[in-house]
Amino acid sequence: MTTDAVGGVWTYALDAAAGLADCGVRTTLAALGPSPSPAQVRQAAAIPGLALQDTGLPLDWMVTDEPTFRAAAEALAELAHESGADLVHLNSPAYGQGGFRVPVVGACHSCLASWWAAVKGGEMPPEFAVRTRRLGEGYRACARLVAPSAAFAQVTQDLYGVDVEVIWNGRAPDGRRPDTAKAPLALTSGRLWDEGKNLAALDAAAARMAGRVAAIGPLRGPDGVVVAARAVQTPGAYDAAAMTRALNAAGVFVSLALYEPFGLGVLEAAQAGCALVLSDIPTFRELWDGAAVFVDPAQPGAVAQTLDDLLADPESARALGARATDRARRYDAASMSRALVELYGWALTSRARETAA
């Protein structure tokens, strides 16, 4: 299984590997892009049957030239062969065209084309179009594709003309407690450097608020882009334990994301009993309708009023947080892993039938 250490795919991969271990599956986790941190290495080491490989291979969406991309895809296929894997789960499915000798399942976590449409609009730059073509070729090389929400599955099908199965992401609560005392603080988290997370809109809302807003996560991206905020507190990235403590203490979690195929940070906040204030996008409506307040991120004054009202009314925030916690039980790690095992079984059985024929 491929992963990377710069975003939610790392969390997804570890949760999946832990659940797969409970189902008797051993996983070799191949890390692409920047090396995992010492804390991330320790996280991986705690999962039974998991072997972590820091491949040194580039993230697929960061590669600009074709020879480097092809070489990386082929090197990844060779690593999979050397590991003795019966099946490959690509969280970077553009590399599906690398010539793997076993069935490949591709996970559709995000893509440049859908990101551009949601965040920028209009025609993509030529280099984005090239990477989108590669991803489409990788998708078509996979035996099966899976997406973390029906909304994103539909977008992927429309863009690439492929069939995509939906398996909701899941997380174990892991210390997140909805019954802890809450502070009058609105919190967000994630890859803050990603324009799709819309930190600028949250900063504009925070400048109009009486209450406090904090954003936890990296401000510098792997491509060197750096963002900053004036009204939002930005303490930097937290490890898993510190993030859990922050969520347990926060009364409100806010995401004004313009693009979010699932949103693990929102799920973690719901498990901790935070009231959810979310941008009104299809994914969030699918997952959290009836358990969150939805806002227009283009209206900073209205966002500020919504956040201040909840922060000033802890009882209402607590009630909304309880609805979020109840909804979060749908998205558990064990269900995700069982669904993945079924998907893998289908892929392996299909390959066996093809070989016998």
Side-chain angles (χ1 to χ4, degrees), residues 42-218:
R42 290 192 295 272
Q43 278 183 296
I47 296 175
L50 178 65
L52 177 63
Q53 284 189 331
D54 187 359
T55 68
L57 297 172
L59 294 165
D60 59 303
W61 54 276
M62 293 289 293
V63 179
T64 56
D65 65 288
E66 199 67 19
T68 300
F69 176 81
R70 293 290 173 183
E74 291 167 6
L76 188 58
E78 188 58 30
L79 284 173
H81 176 65
E82 291 172 356
S83 76
D86 300 304
L87 178 137
V88 172
H89 177 135
L90 290 180
N91 289 310
S92 298
Y95 283 143
Q97 54 191 295
F100 292 88
R101 307 178 206 184
V102 295
V104 177
V105 169
C108 310
H109 291 290
S110 64
C111 78
L112 288 172
S114 56
W115 180 92
W116 187 270
V119 177
K120 297 287 194 180
E123 188 174 352
M124 288 190 297
E127 63 270 22
F128 276 26
V130 169
R131 296 177 209 178
T132 296
R133 172 186 56 78
R134 288 180 192 153
L135 180 57
E137 292 170 356
Y139 280 160
R140 288 183 282 276
C142 293
R144 199 78 165 196
L145 297 172
V146 60
S149 64
F152 190 62
Q154 187 62 58
V155 168
T156 303
Q157 290 173 175
D158 292 344
L159 283 171
Y160 298 94
V162 292
D163 293 327
V164 184
E165 183 169 335
V166 179
I167 297 178
W168 282 330
N169 284 350
R171 290 234 66 199
D174 290 338
R176 290 181 285 279
R177 295 177 55 84
D179 55 350
T180 53
K182 299 291 187 180
L185 170 70
L187 187 69
T188 195
S189 66
R191 304 183 306 185
L192 303 179
W193 49 266
D194 181 347
E195 206 173 337
K197 301 300 182 186
N198 212 10
L199 178 62
L202 184 58
D203 199 41
R208 294 166 166 79
M209 289 176 58
R212 289 190 302 132
V213 183
I216 296 172

Side-chain angles (χ1 to χ4, degrees), residues 332-343:
D332 67 290
S335 296
M336 177 183 73
S337 298
R338 287 194 297 269
L340 287 174
V341 168
E342 290 182 13
L343 189 70

